[in-house]
Amino acid sequence: MDITPYLEKKIAPRAVFERLGEFATRPRFMVPKGPGAWEAVTWGAFADEIREIALFLHDVIGHEDRAAVFAPNRVEWASAALAIQAAGGVIVPVYPASTAQQASYVLSHADAKVVFVDTPELLGRIFEAWGDLPALDRVVVMSDGIDAAAVLEKRRAAGKRVPTMAEVDKKLYAWSRARGLGAARHKEDPAAFERRMMEVKLDQVGLMLYTSGTSGNPKGVPLTHENVSANGQDWLRCNAPLLEEGAVDLLWLPMSHIFGLGEMCLGNTLGWLTYLSDPATCLARLPEVKPSIFMSVPSHWEKIAHAAVHHSTPEARAKALAEATGGRLRYCLSGGAGLKREVKELFWESGILLVEGYGLTETSPTLTLNRHDAFRFDSVGKPLPQVELKLAEDGEILARGPNVFRGYHKDVDATREAFTDDGWFKTGDVGRFTEDGFLQIVDRKKDILVTAGGKNVPPANIEIRFKDDPFIAHVVVYGEGKKFLVAGVWLADEVVDKHLEGVAPQARPEARRALVQKRVDAVNAELASYESLKKFVVLDRPLTVEGELLTASLKVRRKKVYEAFRADFEALYDEGR
């Protein structure tokens, strides 16, 4: 497609309003309402929500004031986010999996003046954090049917420290009330919204995401409209031959993550029809929706590939993939973690290029991308047109370009540490370039284990080999300064229990261990001797967000896991075990 009309840099909300003349009555989103049932939300209705919420915020937030969204995906999530930006503010997404303490940290650190929240559970977490959020001026509940008083009393009955209903009433607004106030302002001054939106400059911060916090508290990453627009330009240039205007996508990625937020905004720019889904049902919906665009994470691509890989011929595998995906896929993107080469090759064999890239929140996010005319499945692609990359002496990937952020929110020390003296951003990842210019990721710099023998071992390179095993939930490799490596293993209990249904209860522990041993042996066969896992322990205490062993985006917090299970790991080095 010709992307020239879409290369002008602009703030994200403008894309919606510039399409209204042609698209006002067309569906922008399709919202699931039951098996096979969908409700359309038109471009015009979407624009009305954005305008009214932006005008509701008109006197509450000023330029670069922060406002948060703490909710699962829904159309109103997108409306609130774009409304915040159109009002000159900064959208602060909060992962829906965040505990009350985690949400409190982000909202407090960001000095958020407003939070949009959905579901009784998440509203309850806001009530628990209430006393720690003095800057919070308004709480907007995105579902009118939520009984805030009942949520509050339930938390109080559970022994939580929560505000009184009188205190809540001073700040609480229903979504419909917020829209009504914005609509009244629009009636009084029809030009107010357009005037405010057009005042927002590209060099203003428009988005602040919080890093996962795999070690320590998460850091706020302010991104300007210029950062995001520059990255969007490059992304369009690289992917243009695989994209089409008016495409259909199935969006399940959390909009609280830059991956999902980016997909939503791209759909606004290119006029897509977006079917909303969720992690649990999105794969089952593929044959029904028949999208031409699907962006997802490695575990989903691996599940799709599993439906086809057992067939004996390329034709049969292609047919199975078409049946699993709806048969119309044109652009496929995998992100969030490394994807196995075998999966990419399976899709390519069927004529589908499964694109993979590399980036970080701090780089808005993409640094490299495989593309239709230049790809290697053992790499994360080549640098984007406006991005400069080089390797430090220790192999760390350094980046520079208009998409790179300026520094962390309220953290001068972390900002100083994040950049070299001459202004290159230190990604914290170790990489290498192939002879033809493609980047390969070795591992996180700080996650490399150095064994007693002086061998540098990236634990993620071992752990990823267990990622598509249905019996295993998590594997964490351990062995800094040790003679050999060991691992903690967390099983997918429901899958394992079903597999062992015919095994006597007294024989179950040994059968579970044998199941793991078989998989460890298979992975060890692919590894060098110094990388292989000599011992392992099956652990029953789960890794959870609430236990602070997983981040809000469900990544393993390696240091926390090491601390929590150090005795179990160290016991594996005892003689005779």
Side-chain angles (χ1 to χ4, degrees):
M1 63 174 288
D2 178 15
I3 59 167
T4 306
Y6 310 113
L7 293 180
E8 178 194 353
K9 292 180 181 178
K10 63 185 74 171
I11 69 169
R14 285 181 51 191
V16 177
F17 291 88
E18 289 174 3
R19 284 205 172 262
L20 284 186
E22 180 185 0
F23 278 39
T25 59
R26 292 190 192 181
R28 169 64 185 96
F29 295 102
M30 299 295 286
V31 181
K33 292 296 180 182
W38 300 85
E39 180 179 289
V41 176
T42 66
W43 284 82
F46 183 37
D48 287 345
E49 279 197 341
I50 296 168
R51 182 189 303 108
E52 289 164 5
I53 295 298
L55 291 173
F56 162 74
L57 295 171
H58 190 279
D59 296 329
V60 184
I61 60 173
H63 286 322
E64 297 195 353
D65 282 340
R66 271 79 61 191
V69 181
F70 185 30
N73 277 11
R74 54 183 299 158
V75 174
E76 291 83 354
W77 201 113
S79 301
L82 296 177
I84 292 165
Q85 292 188 330
V90 179
I91 165 65
V92 180
V94 184
Y95 291 118
S98 297
T99 63
Q101 183 180 6
Q102 290 168 336
S104 175
Y105 176 82
V106 170
L107 295 172
S108 175
H109 187 262
D111 296 313
K113 289 188 172 182
V114 181
V115 61
F116 293 86
V117 61
D118 192 31
T119 80
E121 175 59 33
L122 300 191
L123 179 60
R125 295 177 198 173
I126 294 296
F127 288 154
E128 287 185 43
W130 196 273
D132 300 320
L133 304 173
L136 195 62
D137 186 67
R138 296 190 183 182
V139 176
V140 182
V141 181
M142 302 167 86
S143 297
D144 284 357
I146 293 178
D147 186 340
V151 172
L152 190 65
E153 287 312 308
K154 184 177 180 181
R155 295 284 163 150
R156 196 188 314 281
K160 303 296 184 181
R161 181 174 61 92
V162 294
T164 65
M165 195 63 215
E167 291 174 306
V168 169
D169 279 338
K170 294 176 183 177
K171 299 182 178 182
L172 195 69
Y173 290 76
W175 181 259
S176 59
R177 181 186 172 200
R179 287 194 63 182
L181 291 169
R185 180 181 283 273
H186 180 61
K187 187 175 181 180
E188 293 170 6
D189 184 357
F193 171 76
E194 180 81 7
R195 190 168 58 244
R196 184 69 170 262
M197 181 169 65
M198 298 307 290
E199 289 173 351
V200 181
K201 308 300 183 185
L202 286 172
D203 62 357
Q204 287 180 217
V205 175
L207 172 64
M208 187 158 76
L209 298 132
Y210 276 75
T211 57
S212 297
T214 51
S215 59
N217 285 323
K219 295 190 286 288
V221 181
L223 299 175
T224 66
H225 297 287
E226 169 73 26
N227 290 148
V228 177
S229 295
N231 205 238
Q233 279 185 334
D234 278 354
W235 200 92
L236 286 170
R237 288 189 179 105
C238 291
N239 290 301
L242 298 175
L243 299 173
E244 54 188 355
E245 207 174 4
V248 174
D249 71 316
L250 181 65
L251 171 57
W252 73 269
L253 293 163
M255 285 186 261
S256 51
H257 192 283
I258 197 166
F259 197 2
L261 181 60
E263 181 177 349
M264 182 272 291
C265 290
L266 186 65
N268 294 337
T269 298
L270 299 183
W272 291 353
L273 172 60
T274 295
Y275 285 76
L276 295 181
S277 188
D278 57 71
T281 64
C282 64
L283 295 186
R285 293 190 186 278
L286 284 171
E288 174 190 357
V289 173
K290 297 179 172 59
S292 50
I293 308 283
F294 190 52
M295 304 185 192
S296 200
V297 294
S299 60
H300 279 169
W301 294 114
E302 288 161 4
K303 287 178 182 177
I304 294 170
H306 185 70
V309 71
H310 63 278
H311 290 283
S312 58
T313 67
E315 294 77 16
R317 289 191 287 272
K319 181 180 178 183
L321 278 181
E323 290 173 352
T325 63
R328 289 172 47 191
L329 284 182
R330 179 175 170 83
Y331 182 77
C332 302
L333 180 65
S334 181
L339 179 63
K340 288 186 174 181
R341 179 173 181 165
E342 296 84 351
V343 175
K344 290 177 277 191
E345 289 176 340
L346 177 67
F347 274 81
W348 182 239
E349 174 192 71
S350 301
I352 301 171
L353 179 60
L354 180 42
V355 173
E356 193 173 22
Y358 161 71
L360 301 90
T361 302
E362 291 90 338
T363 58
S364 305
T366 312
L367 289 172
T368 69
L369 202 63
N370 276 300
R371 52 207 82 170
H372 77 288
D373 57 351
F375 61 89
R376 276 182 59 148
F377 290 148
D378 62 349
S379 80
V380 292
K382 291 185 175 182
L384 297 187
Q386 298 179 77
V387 169
E388 296 178 78
L389 294 183
K390 69 177 183 178
L391 301 181
E393 288 185 6
D394 61 358
E396 183 176 9
I397 303 162
L398 305 178
R400 190 165 65 181
N403 58 313
V404 177
F405 83 136
R406 299 168 182 167
Y408 295 108
H409 183 59
K410 295 182 180 176
D411 201 333
V412 175
D413 292 340
T415 297
R416 186 184 303 113
E417 178 61 28
F419 290 88
T420 64
D421 291 341
D422 55 350
W424 291 79
F425 173 62
K426 298 188 284 188
T427 66
D429 292 312
V430 176
R432 57 175 172 255
F433 284 103
T434 64
E435 67 285 352
D436 48 353
F438 289 82
L439 181 67
Q440 296 175 325
I441 306 299
V442 176
D443 194 31
R444 287 290 300 169
K445 182 177 178 180
K446 294 180 181 178
D447 280 347
I448 290 180
L449 301 176
V450 182
T451 67
K455 297 290 188 182
N456 289 0
V457 182
N461 284 2
I462 301 169
E463 293 158 356
I464 196 172
R465 297 169 191 267
F466 295 92
K467 282 291 186 183
D468 61 346
D469 193 309
F471 296 104
I472 293 177
H474 302 286
V475 171
V476 177
V477 176
Y478 182 91
E480 177 69 21
K482 303 292 186 180
K483 291 182 179 179
F484 55 85
L485 301 181
V486 299
V489 178
W490 287 261
L491 295 175
D493 288 322
E494 290 185 7
V495 179
V496 171
D497 290 344
K498 186 174 181 180
H499 180 72
L500 299 178
E501 278 179 350
V503 179
Q506 62 271 23
R508 287 282 181 94
E510 189 56 37
R512 283 160 61 91
R513 183 168 182 82
L515 202 65
V516 176
Q517 185 68 63
K518 181 178 179 181
R519 281 148 179 80
V520 169
D521 290 345
V523 167
N524 280 343
E526 303 172 357
L527 301 171
S529 176
Y530 66 86
E531 296 176 304
S532 62
L533 302 175
K534 302 298 191 287
K535 297 181 181 181
F536 65 87
V537 58
V538 178
L539 296 162
D540 293 322
R541 176 185 163 191
L543 304 186
T544 64
V545 175
E546 292 76 12
E548 298 187 345
L549 299 175
L550 297 179
T551 69
S553 57
L554 306 183
K555 296 177 183 176
V556 171
R557 302 182 74 173
R558 187 180 299 280
K559 290 183 180 178
K560 292 282 190 180
V561 171
Y562 284 170
E563 292 170 9
F565 298 95
R566 191 172 301 281
D568 298 285
F569 287 118
E570 289 292 333
L572 294 173
Y573 294 96
D574 291 345
E575 293 295 331
R577 178 160 177 173

